[in-house]
């Protein structure tokens, strides 16, 4: 009789636990997100900057691996800056706002991309935040950049404007390089481990800055900034 009562209590406790366990996906997955991708000419560079292949090739591989599982759980949009402008600094294109199952569209756009133009990352980030404000009261922007703002934009001023607001900006510095001078050692640690000035966008809005030096690290950075966090 005692064993039967114990078994009943155990079954009841397990049933109660199954009801009260928290959801595996945190509420961050309900927020929309937009990827702001660097399509500037430097993404095609290789050679003197210690790159054995153009950045865009590794970026494509990383996106093909990382984005499909992420896009199953949240709405994602895409902005690409660099090409298709009337001049080197006007190439900012909103491909689409946040949508479900965006992976094929993101992969297709990046695979078709021919990197050209300069780096108007401040205006591109501003465009992404503006789009988010039309679709979601909160959300995230993930800026992928290989370097500095080159179009007179002021990312840290934008960061100050966004600080304390409902939108978080994460910045992935992909193969960022410092200034190279002929008389310096190209393998200097400071040269290879430089940070983009856009880091302030992450620092001021509560986002993350992640440096990525290869496709694997870029995959991890996408999962860290875009993926749904698990609660246990």
């Amino acid at each position: 009789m005692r064993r039967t009562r114990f078994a009943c209590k155990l079954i009841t406790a397990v049933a109660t636990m199954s009801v009260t366990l928290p959801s595996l996906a945190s509420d961050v997955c309900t927020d929309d997100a937009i990827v702001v991708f660097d399509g500037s000419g430097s993404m095609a560079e290789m050679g003197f900057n210690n790159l054995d292949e153009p950045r865009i090739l590794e970026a494509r591989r990383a996106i093909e691996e990382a984005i499909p599982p992420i896009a199953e759980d949240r709405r994602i949009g895409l902005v690409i800056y660099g090409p298709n402008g009337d001049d080197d600094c006007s190439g900012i294109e909103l491909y689409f706002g946040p949508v479900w199952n965006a992976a094929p569209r993101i992969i297709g756009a990046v695979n078709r991309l021919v990197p050209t133009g300069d780096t108007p990352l401040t205006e591109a980030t501003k465009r992404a935040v503006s789009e988010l404000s039309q679709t979601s009261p909160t959300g995230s922007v993930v800026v992928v950049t290989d370097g500095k703002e080159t179009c007179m934009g002021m990312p840290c001023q934008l960061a100050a404007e966004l600080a304390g607001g409902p939108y978080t900006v994460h910045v992935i510095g992909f193969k960022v390089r410092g200034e190279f001078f002929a008389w310096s050692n190209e393998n200097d640690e400071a040269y290879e481990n430089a940070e983009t000035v856009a880091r302030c966008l992450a620092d001021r809005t509560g986002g993350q800055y992640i440096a990525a030096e290869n496709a694997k690290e870029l995959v991890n950075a996408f999962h860290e900034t875009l993926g749904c966090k698990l609660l246990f």
Side-chain angles (χ1 to χ4, degrees), residues 33-57:
I34 293 181
V35 174
V36 177
F37 187 81
D38 189 342
S40 65
S42 58
M43 288 291 284
E45 286 180 352
M46 61 182 295
F48 77 90
N49 48 19
N50 293 341
L51 304 177
D52 56 4
E53 66 176 344
R55 294 179 177 93
I56 188 64
L57 298 185

Side-chain angles (χ1 to χ4, degrees), residues 147-205:
K148 59 185 179 180
E149 165 74 48
T150 61
C151 290
M152 305 296 289
M154 293 183 285
C156 294
Q157 179 176 315
L158 176 61
E161 294 172 3
L162 297 175
Y167 302 108
T168 301
V169 181
H170 304 287
V171 178
I172 301 174
F174 182 50
K175 293 181 178 290
V176 177
R177 296 291 183 263
E179 297 293 340
F180 173 69
F181 300 98
W183 60 86
S184 68
N185 183 352
E186 189 174 340
N187 295 311
D188 283 347
E189 184 177 350
Y191 172 75
E192 292 195 27
N193 296 314
E195 290 183 350
T196 170
V197 68
R199 174 171 186 154
C200 59
L201 285 164
D203 292 341
R204 294 295 301 273
T205 65

Side-chain angles (χ1 to χ4, degrees), residues 46-207:
M46 61 182 295
F48 77 90
N49 48 19
N50 293 341
L51 304 177
D52 56 4
E53 66 176 344
R55 294 179 177 93
I56 188 64
L57 298 185
E58 284 195 271
R60 286 170 178 158
R61 294 196 294 270
I63 284 174
E64 288 177 355
E65 179 178 345
I67 297 301
I70 295 172
E72 292 177 358
D73 295 321
R74 75 184 311 170
R75 299 187 347 146
I76 306 175
L78 178 66
V79 170
I80 294 179
Y81 64 84
N84 303 323
D86 293 332
D87 55 52
D88 285 342
C89 284
S90 62
I92 300 172
E93 185 169 353
L94 172 67
Y95 278 68
F96 51 89
V99 295
W100 289 110
N101 300 313
R105 297 175 69 178
I106 294 175
I107 292 170
V110 174
N111 282 345
R112 291 189 299 270
L113 174 65
V114 178
T116 54
D118 285 337
T119 307
L121 67 83
T122 303
E123 286 301 316
T125 302
K126 189 180 298 185
R127 179 73 181 275
V129 171
S130 176
E131 179 65 20
L132 275 179
S133 70
Q134 306 300 313
T135 64
S136 180
T138 60
S140 300
V141 174
V142 177
V143 180
V144 181
T145 178
D146 68 2
K148 59 185 179 180
E149 165 74 48
T150 61
C151 290
M152 305 296 289
M154 293 183 285
C156 294
Q157 179 176 315
L158 176 61
E161 294 172 3
L162 297 175
Y167 302 108
T168 301
V169 181
H170 304 287
V171 178
I172 301 174
F174 182 50
K175 293 181 178 290
V176 177
R177 296 291 183 263
E179 297 293 340
F180 173 69
F181 300 98
W183 60 86
S184 68
N185 183 352
E186 189 174 340
N187 295 311
D188 283 347
E189 184 177 350
Y191 172 75
E192 292 195 27
N193 296 314
E195 290 183 350
T196 170
V197 68
R199 174 171 186 154
C200 59
L201 285 164
D203 292 341
R204 294 295 301 273
T205 65

Side-chain angles (χ1 to χ4, degrees), residues 14-35:
V14 171
T16 302
M17 287 175 62
S18 66
V19 171
T20 58
L21 279 174
S23 170
L24 288 180
S26 72
D27 59 2
V28 72
C29 293
T30 64
D31 290 342
D32 289 345
I34 293 181
V35 174

